[in-house]
């Protein structure tokens, strides 16, 4: 769907209305109230950057409260300068299903579906994170666990 912003109102194409579950024209404040609060500040920063023409093509993903619940939206912004007026047009896609699929794939990669235990991929990632962020004071039982994991996957002991 397509969205454009002019005169403190946001105008939506029919496809954007269907995706977001909104009417064709919303005030900017009404639109911001529908963006999940964790994303509003960054969204506003992007809009300011686009109006100052500091950036041209920006893509941003955020959660939006539409009539059918919370969805994940990918919006691609395109500022246009015509006859001395800056307008921002954007393309909107509902990527909720894609994000849910990605999360399911990550969970399958990190957790065995039968035993619900961490897979070697998760253990390896945790071990690498431990090695990278090693601190001076670590519980002896954790060090023993790390040493067992290192021996199991065949890498040198990072606790020495």
């Amino acid at each position: 769907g397509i969205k454009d912003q002019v005169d403190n109102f946001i105008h939506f194409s029919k496809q954007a209305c269907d995706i977001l579950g909104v009417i064709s024209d919303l005030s900017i404040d009404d639109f911001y109230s529908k963006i999940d609060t964790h994303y509003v500040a960054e969204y506003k920063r992007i809009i300011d950057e686009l109006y100052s023409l500091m950036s041209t093509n920006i893509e941003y993903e955020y959660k939006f409260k539409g009539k059918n619940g919370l969805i994940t939206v990918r919006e691609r912004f395109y500022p246009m300068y015509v006859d001395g007026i800056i307008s921002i047009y954007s393309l909107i896609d509902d990527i909720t299903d894609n994000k849910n699929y990605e999360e399911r794939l990550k969970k399958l990669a990190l957790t065995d579906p039968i035993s619900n235990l961490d897979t070697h991929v998760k253990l390896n990632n945790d071990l690498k994170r431990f090695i990278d962020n090693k601190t001076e004071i670590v519980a002896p039982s954790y060090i023993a666990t790390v040493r067992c994991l290192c021996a199991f996957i065949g890498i040198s002991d990072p606790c020495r």
Side-chain angles (χ1 to χ4, degrees), residues 9-143:
F9 274 88
I10 300 176
H11 310 281
F12 300 94
S13 69
K14 180 179 178 348
Q15 293 87 359
C17 290
D18 292 343
I19 290 169
L20 298 175
V22 297
I23 58 175
S24 61
D25 298 311
L26 281 180
S27 73
I28 291 174
D29 290 337
D30 286 342
F31 180 73
Y32 287 149
S33 74
K34 293 183 176 295
I35 295 176
D36 187 280
T37 55
H38 296 94
Y39 301 92
V40 173
E42 180 66 9
Y43 192 95
K44 288 180 177 181
R45 188 197 64 74
I46 289 170
I47 295 299
D48 290 343
E49 191 174 303
L50 290 163
Y51 270 117
S52 66
L53 297 177
M54 291 173 45
S55 295
T56 52
N57 301 333
I58 296 177
E59 189 172 292
Y60 186 56
E61 293 179 7
Y62 57 93
K63 303 276 186 186
F64 188 85
K65 300 171 225 157
K67 71 177 178 187
N68 296 324
L70 198 64
I71 62 170
T72 304
V73 173
R74 176 181 296 134
E75 187 168 351
R76 289 166 287 173
F77 302 89
Y78 303 96
M80 301 208 173
Y81 184 76
V82 179
D83 296 330
I85 298 172
I86 299 171
S87 295
I88 299 173
Y89 292 85
S90 62
L91 299 177
I92 296 173
D93 295 305
D94 179 351
I95 59 169
T96 306
D97 291 341
N98 293 352
K99 286 294 182 180
N100 290 340
Y101 183 66
E102 284 176 22
E103 287 304 313
R104 283 195 302 266
L105 282 175
K106 283 180 194 174
K107 185 172 176 132
L108 282 172
L110 302 177
T111 308
D112 183 283
I114 296 170
S115 67
N116 209 29
L117 296 173
D118 293 344
T119 64
H120 72 284
V121 174
K122 169 101 168 58
L123 295 172
N124 206 5
N125 289 343
D126 289 348
L127 182 59
K128 286 178 184 173
R129 194 174 321 113
F130 169 76
I131 292 168
D132 293 342
N133 300 321
K134 188 169 68 171
T135 59
E136 295 298 317
I137 302 171
V138 178
S141 62
Y142 192 71
I143 290 174

